[in-house]
CSV table of all heavy atoms in Angstrom, one decimal:
chain,number,residue,atom,x,y,z
A,297,VAL,N,14.0,9.8,13.0
A,297,VAL,CA,15.4,9.6,12.6
A,297,VAL,C,16.2,8.9,13.7
A,297,VAL,O,17.0,8.0,13.3
A,297,VAL,CB,16.0,11.0,12.2
A,297,VAL,CG1,17.5,10.9,11.9
A,297,VAL,CG2,15.3,11.6,11.1
A,298,ARG,N,16.1,9.3,14.9
A,298,ARG,CA,16.9,8.8,16.0
A,298,ARG,C,16.6,7.3,16.1
A,298,ARG,O,17.5,6.5,16.3
A,298,ARG,CB,16.8,9.5,17.2
A,298,ARG,CG,17.7,9.1,18.3
A,298,ARG,CD,17.4,9.9,19.6
A,298,ARG,NE,16.2,9.4,20.2
A,298,ARG,CZ,15.2,10.3,20.8
A,298,ARG,NH1,15.5,11.5,20.9
A,298,ARG,NH2,14.1,9.8,21.4
A,299,GLU,N,15.3,7.0,16.2
A,299,GLU,CA,15.0,5.6,16.6
A,299,GLU,C,14.6,4.7,15.4
A,299,GLU,O,14.4,3.4,15.6
A,299,GLU,CB,13.7,5.6,17.5
A,299,GLU,CG,13.9,6.5,18.8
A,299,GLU,CD,15.0,5.9,19.7
A,299,GLU,OE1,15.4,4.8,19.5
A,299,GLU,OE2,15.3,6.7,20.6
A,300,GLY,N,14.5,5.2,14.2
A,300,GLY,CA,14.3,4.4,13.0
A,300,GLY,C,12.8,4.0,12.8
A,300,GLY,O,12.5,3.1,12.2
A,301,PHE,N,11.9,4.8,13.4
A,301,PHE,CA,10.5,4.6,13.1
A,301,PHE,C,10.1,5.0,11.8
A,301,PHE,O,10.5,6.1,11.3
A,301,PHE,CB,9.6,5.4,14.1
A,301,PHE,CG,9.9,5.1,15.6
A,301,PHE,CD1,9.9,6.1,16.5
A,301,PHE,CD2,10.2,3.8,16.0
A,301,PHE,CE1,10.2,5.9,17.9
A,301,PHE,CE2,10.4,3.6,17.4
A,301,PHE,CZ,10.5,4.6,18.3
A,302,GLU,N,9.3,4.2,11.1
A,302,GLU,CA,8.9,4.5,9.8
A,302,GLU,C,7.7,5.5,9.7
A,302,GLU,O,7.5,6.2,8.8
A,302,GLU,CB,8.5,3.2,9.0
A,302,GLU,CG,9.6,2.4,8.5
A,302,GLU,CD,10.2,1.5,9.6
A,302,GLU,OE1,9.6,1.5,10.7
A,302,GLU,OE2,11.1,0.7,9.4
A,303,TYR,N,6.9,5.5,10.8
A,303,TYR,CA,5.6,6.3,10.9
A,303,TYR,C,5.5,6.9,12.3
A,303,TYR,O,6.1,6.4,13.2
A,303,TYR,CB,4.4,5.5,10.5
A,303,TYR,CG,4.5,4.8,9.2
A,303,TYR,CD1,4.9,3.5,9.0
A,303,TYR,CD2,4.1,5.6,8.0
A,303,TYR,CE1,5.1,2.9,7.8
A,303,TYR,CE2,4.2,5.0,6.7
A,303,TYR,CZ,4.7,3.6,6.7
A,303,TYR,OH,4.8,3.1,5.3
A,304,VAL,N,4.7,7.9,12.3
A,304,VAL,CA,4.2,8.4,13.7
A,304,VAL,C,2.7,8.5,13.5
A,304,VAL,O,2.1,8.7,12.4
A,304,VAL,CB,4.8,9.8,14.0
A,304,VAL,CG1,6.2,9.6,14.4
A,304,VAL,CG2,4.5,10.8,13.0
A,305,THR,N,2.1,8.2,14.6
A,305,THR,CA,0.6,8.2,14.7
A,305,THR,C,0.1,9.4,15.5
A,305,THR,O,0.4,9.6,16.7
A,305,THR,CB,0.1,6.9,15.3
A,305,THR,OG1,0.6,5.8,14.5
A,305,THR,CG2,-1.4,6.8,15.4
A,306,LEU,N,-0.8,10.2,14.9
A,306,LEU,CA,-1.3,11.5,15.6
A,306,LEU,C,-2.8,11.4,15.5
A,306,LEU,O,-3.4,11.2,14.4
A,306,LEU,CB,-0.8,12.7,14.8
A,306,LEU,CG,0.6,12.9,14.5
A,306,LEU,CD1,0.9,14.1,13.7
A,306,LEU,CD2,1.4,13.0,15.8
A,307,ALA,N,-3.5,11.4,16.7
A,307,ALA,CA,-4.9,11.4,16.7
A,307,ALA,C,-5.4,12.9,17.0
A,307,ALA,O,-6.0,13.5,16.2
A,307,ALA,CB,-5.4,10.5,17.7
A,308,ARG,N,-5.1,13.3,18.2
A,308,ARG,CA,-5.7,14.7,18.6
A,308,ARG,C,-5.1,15.8,17.8
A,308,ARG,O,-5.7,16.8,17.6
A,308,ARG,CB,-5.4,14.9,20.2
A,308,ARG,CG,-6.2,14.0,21.1
A,308,ARG,CD,-5.7,14.2,22.5
A,308,ARG,NE,-4.4,13.6,22.8
A,308,ARG,CZ,-3.8,13.6,24.0
A,308,ARG,NH1,-4.5,14.2,25.1
A,308,ARG,NH2,-2.6,13.1,24.1
A,309,ALA,N,-3.9,15.7,17.2
A,309,ALA,CA,-3.4,16.7,16.4
A,309,ALA,C,-4.2,16.9,15.2
A,309,ALA,O,-4.4,18.1,14.8
A,309,ALA,CB,-1.9,16.3,16.0
A,310,PHE,N,-4.7,15.8,14.5
A,310,PHE,CA,-5.5,16.0,13.3
A,310,PHE,C,-6.9,16.4,13.7
A,310,PHE,O,-7.6,17.0,13.0
A,310,PHE,CB,-5.6,14.6,12.6
A,310,PHE,CG,-4.3,14.4,11.7
A,310,PHE,CD1,-3.3,13.5,12.1
A,310,PHE,CD2,-4.2,15.1,10.5
A,310,PHE,CE1,-2.3,13.3,11.2
A,310,PHE,CE2,-3.2,14.9,9.7
A,310,PHE,CZ,-2.1,14.0,10.0
A,311,HIS,N,-7.3,16.1,15.0
A,311,HIS,CA,-8.6,16.5,15.5
A,311,HIS,C,-8.7,18.1,15.6
A,311,HIS,O,-9.6,18.7,15.2
A,311,HIS,CB,-8.9,15.8,16.8
A,311,HIS,CG,-10.3,16.0,17.2
A,311,HIS,ND1,-11.4,15.6,16.6
A,311,HIS,CD2,-10.9,16.5,18.4
A,311,HIS,CE1,-12.6,15.8,17.2
A,311,HIS,NE2,-12.2,16.3,18.3
A,312,SER,N,-7.6,18.6,16.0
A,312,SER,CA,-7.4,20.0,16.2
A,312,SER,C,-7.2,20.8,14.8
A,312,SER,O,-7.8,21.7,14.6
A,312,SER,CB,-6.2,20.3,17.1
A,312,SER,OG,-6.1,21.7,17.2
A,313,ASP,N,-6.4,20.3,14.0
A,313,ASP,CA,-6.1,20.9,12.7
A,313,ASP,C,-6.1,19.9,11.6
A,313,ASP,O,-5.1,19.1,11.4
A,313,ASP,CB,-4.8,21.6,12.7
A,313,ASP,CG,-4.6,22.5,11.6
A,313,ASP,OD1,-5.3,22.4,10.6
A,313,ASP,OD2,-3.9,23.5,11.7
A,314,PRO,N,-7.2,19.7,10.8
A,314,PRO,CA,-7.2,18.8,9.7
A,314,PRO,C,-6.2,19.1,8.6
A,314,PRO,O,-5.9,18.3,7.8
A,314,PRO,CB,-8.7,19.0,9.2
A,314,PRO,CG,-9.1,20.3,9.6
A,314,PRO,CD,-8.4,20.6,10.9
A,315,ASP,N,-5.7,20.4,8.6
A,315,ASP,CA,-4.7,20.7,7.6
A,315,ASP,C,-3.3,20.6,8.1
A,315,ASP,O,-2.4,21.2,7.5
A,315,ASP,CB,-4.9,22.2,7.2
A,315,ASP,CG,-6.2,22.4,6.3
A,315,ASP,OD1,-6.3,21.6,5.4
A,315,ASP,OD2,-6.9,23.3,6.6
A,316,TYR,N,-3.1,19.8,9.2
A,316,TYR,CA,-1.7,19.6,9.7
A,316,TYR,C,-0.7,19.3,8.6
A,316,TYR,O,0.4,19.9,8.5
A,316,TYR,CB,-1.8,18.5,10.7
A,316,TYR,CG,-0.6,18.2,11.5
A,316,TYR,CD1,-0.4,18.7,12.8
A,316,TYR,CD2,0.5,17.4,11.0
A,316,TYR,CE1,0.7,18.5,13.6
A,316,TYR,CE2,1.6,17.2,11.8
A,316,TYR,CZ,1.7,17.8,13.1
A,316,TYR,OH,2.9,17.5,13.8
A,317,VAL,N,-1.1,18.3,7.7
A,317,VAL,CA,0.0,17.9,6.7
A,317,VAL,C,0.1,19.1,5.7
A,317,VAL,O,1.2,19.4,5.3
A,317,VAL,CB,-0.5,16.6,6.0
A,317,VAL,CG1,0.4,16.3,4.8
A,317,VAL,CG2,-0.5,15.5,7.0
A,318,ARG,N,-1.0,19.6,5.2
A,318,ARG,CA,-1.0,20.6,4.2
A,318,ARG,C,-0.1,21.8,4.6
A,318,ARG,O,0.7,22.3,3.8
A,318,ARG,CB,-2.4,21.2,3.9
A,318,ARG,CG,-2.4,22.0,2.7
A,318,ARG,CD,-2.3,21.3,1.4
A,318,ARG,NE,-3.5,20.4,1.2
A,318,ARG,CZ,-3.3,19.2,0.7
A,318,ARG,NH1,-2.1,18.7,0.5
A,318,ARG,NH2,-4.4,18.4,0.4
A,319,LYS,N,-0.1,22.2,5.9
A,319,LYS,CA,0.6,23.3,6.4
A,319,LYS,C,2.1,22.9,6.4
A,319,LYS,O,3.1,23.7,6.2
A,319,LYS,CB,0.1,23.8,7.7
A,319,LYS,CG,-1.2,24.5,7.6
A,319,LYS,CD,-1.8,24.8,9.0
A,319,LYS,CE,-3.2,25.5,8.8
A,319,LYS,NZ,-3.9,25.7,10.0
A,320,LEU,N,2.4,21.7,6.7
A,320,LEU,CA,3.9,21.2,6.6
A,320,LEU,C,4.3,21.2,5.3
A,320,LEU,O,5.5,21.7,4.9
A,320,LEU,CB,4.0,19.8,7.3
A,320,LEU,CG,3.8,19.7,8.7
A,320,LEU,CD1,3.9,18.3,9.2
A,320,LEU,CD2,4.8,20.6,9.6
A,321,GLU,N,3.6,20.8,4.3
A,321,GLU,CA,4.0,20.8,2.9
A,321,GLU,C,4.2,22.2,2.4
A,321,GLU,O,5.0,22.4,1.5
A,321,GLU,CB,2.8,20.1,2.1
A,321,GLU,CG,2.7,18.6,2.3
A,321,GLU,CD,1.5,18.0,1.5
A,321,GLU,OE1,0.6,18.8,1.2
A,321,GLU,OE2,1.5,16.8,1.3
A,322,GLN,N,3.4,23.2,2.9
A,322,GLN,CA,3.6,24.5,2.5
A,322,GLN,C,4.7,25.3,3.2
A,322,GLN,O,4.9,26.4,3.1
A,322,GLN,CB,2.3,25.2,2.7
A,322,GLN,CG,1.1,24.7,1.8
A,322,GLN,CD,-0.3,25.3,2.2
A,322,GLN,OE1,-0.4,25.9,3.2
A,322,GLN,NE2,-1.3,25.1,1.3
A,323,GLY,N,5.4,24.6,4.1
A,323,GLY,CA,6.4,25.2,4.9
A,323,GLY,C,5.9,26.1,6.0
A,323,GLY,O,6.6,27.1,6.3
A,324,ARG,N,4.7,25.9,6.5
A,324,ARG,CA,4.1,26.7,7.5
A,324,ARG,C,3.8,26.0,8.8
A,324,ARG,O,2.6,25.9,9.3
A,324,ARG,CB,2.8,27.3,7.0
A,324,ARG,CG,3.0,28.2,5.7
A,324,ARG,CD,1.7,29.0,5.4
A,324,ARG,NE,0.5,28.1,5.2
A,324,ARG,CZ,-0.6,28.1,5.9
A,324,ARG,NH1,-0.7,28.9,7.1
A,324,ARG,NH2,-1.6,27.3,5.7
A,325,PRO,N,4.8,25.3,9.4
A,325,PRO,CA,4.5,24.6,10.6
A,325,PRO,C,4.0,25.5,11.8
A,325,PRO,O,3.2,25.0,12.6
A,325,PRO,CB,5.8,24.0,11.1
A,325,PRO,CG,6.9,24.8,10.3
A,325,PRO,CD,6.2,25.3,9.1
A,326,ASP,N,4.4,26.8,11.7
A,326,ASP,CA,3.9,27.7,12.8
A,326,ASP,C,2.4,28.0,12.5
A,326,ASP,O,1.7,28.5,13.5
A,326,ASP,CB,4.6,29.0,12.7
A,326,ASP,CG,6.1,28.9,13.1
A,326,ASP,OD1,6.3,27.8,13.8
A,326,ASP,OD2,6.9,29.8,12.8
A,327,GLY,N,1.8,27.7,11.4
A,327,GLY,CA,0.4,27.9,11.1
A,327,GLY,C,-0.5,26.8,11.6
A,327,GLY,O,-1.7,26.9,11.5
A,328,ILE,N,0.1,25.7,12.1
A,328,ILE,CA,-0.7,24.6,12.6
A,328,ILE,C,-1.4,25.0,13.9
A,328,ILE,O,-0.8,25.5,14.8
A,328,ILE,CB,0.2,23.4,12.8
A,328,ILE,CG1,0.8,22.8,11.6
A,328,ILE,CG2,-0.6,22.3,13.6
A,328,ILE,CD1,1.8,21.8,11.7
A,329,LEU,N,-2.7,24.8,13.9
A,329,LEU,CA,-3.6,25.0,15.1
A,329,LEU,C,-3.2,23.9,16.1
A,329,LEU,O,-3.4,22.7,15.9
A,329,LEU,CB,-5.0,24.9,14.7
A,329,LEU,CG,-6.0,25.0,15.9
A,329,LEU,CD1,-5.8,26.3,16.8
A,329,LEU,CD2,-7.5,25.0,15.4
A,330,PRO,N,-2.6,24.2,17.2
A,330,PRO,CA,-2.0,23.2,18.2
A,330,PRO,C,-3.1,22.5,18.9
A,330,PRO,O,-4.0,23.1,19.4
A,330,PRO,CB,-1.1,24.0,19.0
A,330,PRO,CG,-1.7,25.4,19.1
A,330,PRO,CD,-2.4,25.6,17.7
Side-chain angles (χ1 to χ4, degrees):
V297 172
R298 186 184 73 217
E299 305 295 351
F301 302 139
E302 286 82 357
Y303 302 94
V304 290
T305 301
L306 309 177
R308 290 175 290 181
F310 280 104
H311 192 57
S312 177
D313 195 337
D315 288 317
Y316 187 99
V317 172
R318 189 73 69 223
K319 290 174 180 176
L320 290 180
E321 291 175 338
Q322 295 170 350
R324 299 193 299 119
D326 293 342
I328 294 173
L329 172 56

